[in-house]
Amino acid sequence: VKQFPAYPNLHGQRMLWPRSETGRSLIKDELARSGATVDDVPCYRSSLPDNRDTIAAHLALNLRDRRVNVITVASPQTTKNMMALAKSVLSREEIHDLLLSLPIVTIGPETAGAAHALGFKHVHQAQTFMAEGMIAALAEVASGRP
């Protein structure tokens, strides 16, 4: 929000805020506090797909064959959905040994919080909450840096 042109004086500005149905309202609220009129429109949902059984089976196969080195997630709901898929096909021990032990790179603090709450042991948060930040965090994980 602070990078928005004319911040903190957004009086007279009208903005459309398309978002996920479960998304936080932080940015919308801050824009409104700065004087903007913000139309908040839930445009998509982060839900499990119709072919969830097939996807869960692929997830299990890739984890059991140890084909996954790192996980990246950009929303708390995606993190929760991945865990729901895993729980549908993996035992508690497999989830602990094959999934929760992997490094997970998150786009920001809310997603990192979801990963911690689900039990991930090696959570890496992007320092800038954009794709570039995730790439930098992935590079650190790949180089073995904490």
Side-chain angles (χ1 to χ4, degrees), residues 8 11-13 35 37-38 48-49 58-59 73 102 108 110 123-124 145:
H11 293 280
Q13 297 290 319
T37 300
V38 183
L48 292 171
H58 285 294
L59 175 64
V73 288
L102 288 170
E110 294 294 317
V123 179
H124 303 266
R145 288 180 281 189

Side-chain angles (χ1 to χ4, degrees), residues 1 16-31 33 38-46 74-78 80 106-114 125-126 128-130:
V1 172
L16 175 65
W17 186 250
R19 63 172 181 82
S20 143
E21 70 178 358
T22 59
R24 293 187 314 151
S25 64
L26 174 72
I27 293 173
K28 178 196 81 146
D29 295 344
E30 289 299 316
L31 291 170
R33 259 193 280 287
V38 183
D39 293 313
D40 181 4
V41 181
C43 293
Y44 66 96
R45 87 176 52 119
S46 297
S75 79
Q77 190 61 48
T78 300
K80 293 171 189 173
T106 69
I107 198 160
E110 294 294 317
T111 308
Q125 179 185 304
T128 56
F129 311 145
M130 300 177 353

Side-chain angles (χ1 to χ4, degrees), residues 47-108:
S47 61
L48 292 171
D50 292 338
N51 63 340
R52 71 187 62 130
D53 294 339
T54 301
I55 293 172
H58 285 294
L59 175 64
L61 177 67
N62 283 297
L63 290 171
R64 287 175 178 144
D65 287 350
R66 305 217 184 250
R67 292 187 213 161
V68 180
N69 296 340
V70 64
I71 300 165
T72 61
V73 288
S75 79
Q77 190 61 48
T78 300
T79 312
K80 293 171 189 173
N81 287 350
M82 177 183 57
M83 183 59 76
L85 289 169
K87 285 181 175 181
S88 74
V89 291
L90 298 174
S91 70
R92 205 178 277 188
E93 293 79 21
E94 286 177 310
I95 289 171
H96 182 268
D97 294 341
L98 302 176
L99 183 63
L100 296 176
S101 62
L102 288 170
I104 185 168
V105 174
T106 69
I107 198 160

